[in-house]
Amino acid sequence: PPCTETGLTEGKHCETCGTVIVAREEIPATGHSYTQKQVADMLGISQSYISRLEKRILANLKETLAGKI
């Protein structure tokens, strides 16, 4: 799962009988919250380009969701 959702460790179980040897444990979500400037710096592009991409992505998402409702 992404870092914004909880996950589980792999754990271990017996391949023959399925008995749990090591239980799976929950891994808490760490989450991320980046500004447009931080994303731009990470990608090596301008903040204005990030803004344009964000607007285009949101418009496409809204259009896609509107067709499914």
Side-chain angles (χ1 to χ4, degrees):
C3 55
T4 55
E5 298 176 12
T6 57
L8 294 172
T9 60
E10 186 174 358
K12 293 184 181 179
H13 66 278
C14 175
E15 292 183 17
T16 303
C17 68
T19 299
V20 174
I21 299 169
V22 177
R24 297 174 76 181
E25 296 179 20
E26 187 173 291
I27 302 169
T30 56
H32 292 284
S33 180
Y34 295 115
T35 65
Q36 287 183 354
K37 174 78 171 113
Q38 290 170 315
V39 173
D41 290 345
M42 285 188 275
L43 297 175
I45 59 180
S46 71
Q47 182 179 349
S48 62
Y49 190 61
I50 292 292
S51 180
R52 289 192 300 270
L53 288 171
E54 185 179 83
K55 287 178 185 177
R56 188 179 311 150
I57 290 166
L58 289 174
N60 288 341
L61 180 60
K62 287 177 185 177
E63 185 178 308
T64 299
L65 292 175
K68 294 185 179 186
I69 295 177

